[in-house]
Amino acid sequence: MTSWVGRTAVEIAAAVRAKEVTPREVVAEHLARIERLDGRIGAFRTVRARAALAEADELAARGDLTGLPLAGVPVAVKDNLGVRGESTRVGSAATPDTPADADHVTVARLRAAGAVVVGLTNVPELCVFGTTEGVHGTARNPWDTSRTAGGSSGGSAAAVAAGLVPIALGNDGMGSLRIPAANCGLVTIKPGHGVVPAGIGEGDWFGMSENGPLATTVEDARLMLSVLADTAAAAAGEPGALKIAVSVRSPLAGVTVSKPYTGAARDAAGALVRAGHHVERAEPPYPLSLGVTSLAHWTAGTAVDAARLDPRLLTRRTRVHAAVGRRFLSGVRGGSARDALRRRLEPFFAEYDVLLTPALARRSPKSAAWHERGWLRNVLVNTNYSPLTPPWNLTGWPAMAVPFGTLPSGAPTAVQLVSLPGREGELLRLAEQLESLRPWRRTAPLD
């Protein structure tokens, strides 16, 4: 008997379209794996077992099944996006336990393409931090369950890395796709602003948050992005050599990048040289004020999201984060700091097609009750392990995390690829080259 767990979304959809397997069979296999393993991983806040099987049966009866790009593919959805009939808790006790009356537009697009939503995944409260734990559950890294999966799309990343689903939907406001993808050995792309509909929280963190895919292969990430996007952003980039800048320095003053991650970036640079690209060391002109700009936008986004919630039901770290952010609201809303950052960085990207960096500065923190710890401790831990992702939310430019290399423990490391708006296809093509040059193990060895 063929097992569909561990197969890619592309493979599953092709088999369902060819009537080699039914959507119910595929979904049932994945639900069985969730039941067996998720107690160790904590990926899901809620699993829609009965509803997912019913939807799989409805899908099998669709007259357009043979034309659906995600036919029968089980998918997990981050718990800050509406799924019809399910509550959206955003990792908090302060949010209402009221079923959504409609799918978020990205969820609707996945379903229209034939995907079956098997559950909603755990997030940190209001999707603020780069670790995933809270009143609804703790998402651990399937490669090392003593450590966090990352955040805020931690549950979605853990679900894919554990083989509980082949793909998952998440979003990224300061690195919330790229951080857990890098921790868990996955491919993701934060598309440029306006490529995929946002509609996240109470204002998309001033337009910095973007929805995107989590996958085990570039091909799956490309397929999922093509379903989600308003444009042809996932189309393959033009062939030919690129001029690539490599930087292993942290954008934030005082934060260092550890050897496994600098090594991953240097090794990836060497691989791309051998593939025919022109690669050289070059440092983007990050301003010294970047840390303050990042903190202002990060906290102000939370202040907006928390404004209508009962503060007594929020954790202390979230309350403090929102209180700090209220002081920055007027300045952040003006957008001048982000405009200045774009102007400062644009000449660098006029010289280089792509920037290659480490995805993280160090491995993810221990899995712990971070939501019960102080605000400053959380901020310092987050900043010290993930300083490389926020600039590209501030600019609104596309950025990817791609697995490359391993830590001494055997857990994956990763690199980040960044380019100007409209070049998502170019980034995906470059990521495919890295994948072919240094294939990675797609899921964690849990069995």
Side-chain angles (χ1 to χ4, degrees):
M1 176 180 169
T2 300
S3 173
W4 297 98
V5 167
R7 306 289 285 271
T8 68
V10 168
E11 291 171 333
I12 290 170
V16 170
R17 289 193 298 265
K19 304 296 180 68
E20 295 172 9
V21 64
T22 67
R24 171 176 273 267
E25 289 170 329
V26 172
V27 170
E29 273 197 49
H30 285 83
L31 288 171
R33 186 170 176 87
I34 292 169
E35 184 176 11
R36 182 164 60 87
L37 294 179
D38 199 41
R40 292 161 54 189
I41 306 302
F44 285 93
R45 197 263 297 175
T46 187
V47 178
R48 309 176 65 249
R50 183 177 297 178
L53 289 171
E55 289 170 18
D57 290 339
E58 292 173 8
L59 175 67
R62 280 176 59 169
D64 60 348
L65 182 66
T66 57
L68 300 179
L70 292 175
V73 176
V75 65
V77 174
K78 185 176 180 179
D79 191 23
N80 67 340
L81 298 170
V83 173
R84 185 181 65 253
E86 305 291 342
S87 58
T88 309
R89 300 307 305 272
V90 203
S92 182
T95 51
D97 189 18
T98 306
D101 56 9
D103 288 332
H104 185 276
V105 60
T106 53
V107 177
R109 287 181 180 184
L110 292 173
R111 280 181 155 158
V116 178
V117 177
V118 298
L120 288 90
T121 57
N122 277 316
V123 299
E125 187 171 55
L126 304 192
C127 298
V128 174
F129 292 100
T131 60
T132 294
E133 65 293 301
V135 295
H136 298 295
T138 296
R140 296 174 174 83
N141 189 338
W143 292 90
D144 180 355
T145 55
S146 72
R147 295 192 174 272
T148 178
S152 63
S153 304
S156 284
V160 177
L164 308 183
V165 287
I167 54 174
L169 179 60
N171 37 58
D172 190 315
M174 278 283 173
S176 290
L177 281 166
R178 289 161 289 156
I179 295 168
N183 284 330
C184 296
L186 302 178
V187 180
T188 191
I189 182 165
K190 178 194 78 67
H193 183 64
V195 170
V196 172
I200 305 161
E202 295 295 325
D204 307 330
W205 277 17
F206 310 98
M208 296 191 302
S209 291
E210 306 293 346
N211 293 308
L214 288 153
T216 63
T217 67
V218 179
E219 186 179 34
D220 274 4
R222 183 193 300 279
L223 173 61
M224 189 170 172
L225 181 61
S226 72
V227 169
L228 296 172
D230 285 328
T231 66
E238 292 297 319
L242 298 175
K243 189 173 183 183
I244 301 171
V246 181
S247 171
V248 297
R249 178 174 68 88
S250 166
L252 301 183
V255 179
T256 58
V257 182
S258 66
K259 287 184 179 180
Y261 287 94
T262 59
R266 291 187 177 112
D267 288 349
L272 292 173
V273 168
R274 293 189 291 275
H277 298 287
H278 178 71
V279 183
E280 62 185 48
R281 181 75 176 266
E283 301 297 343
Y286 301 117
L288 288 174
S289 60
L290 181 60
V292 173
T293 302
S294 298
L295 181 67
H297 286 74
W298 183 23
T299 56
T302 303
V304 173
D305 284 346
R308 298 181 184 181
L309 301 176
D310 184 344
R312 296 169 298 180
L313 297 177
L314 296 172
T315 61
R316 183 173 179 273
R317 70 173 181 177
T318 304
R319 290 199 305 271
V320 174
H321 207 73
V324 171
R326 286 194 288 272
R327 303 179 184 185
F328 291 117
L329 275 172
S330 60
V332 165
R333 283 183 172 133
S336 59
R338 294 179 65 195
D339 288 340
L341 181 63
R342 280 189 284 264
R343 288 195 301 270
R344 187 180 180 98
L345 291 171
E346 279 166 353
F348 182 86
F349 283 91
E351 183 174 357
Y352 297 99
D353 298 306
V354 175
L355 171 65
L356 167 66
T357 77
L360 298 172
R362 52 186 46 80
R363 63 180 178 171
S364 61
K366 287 285 188 181
S367 181
W370 289 101
H371 61 299
E372 297 175 356
R373 297 180 179 178
W375 173 77
L376 184 58
R377 189 174 180 187
N378 272 276
V379 167
L380 290 175
V381 163
N382 278 248
T383 301
N384 282 324
Y385 105 95
S386 181
L388 295 125
T389 54
W392 317 114
N393 297 92
L394 292 165
T395 59
W397 297 347
M400 289 191 71
V402 183
F404 203 90
T406 58
L407 295 166
S409 66
T413 51
V415 296
Q416 179 177 233
L417 303 173
V418 184
S419 193
L420 287 175
R423 294 184 177 175
E424 287 83 1
E426 193 169 76
L427 292 182
L428 287 160
R429 183 175 66 83
L430 198 60
E432 280 176 326
Q433 287 187 304
L434 289 174
E435 183 179 23
S436 66
L437 293 166
R438 186 79 66 85
W440 51 80
R441 183 167 182 169
R442 294 195 301 107
T443 55
L446 292 168
D447 294 317

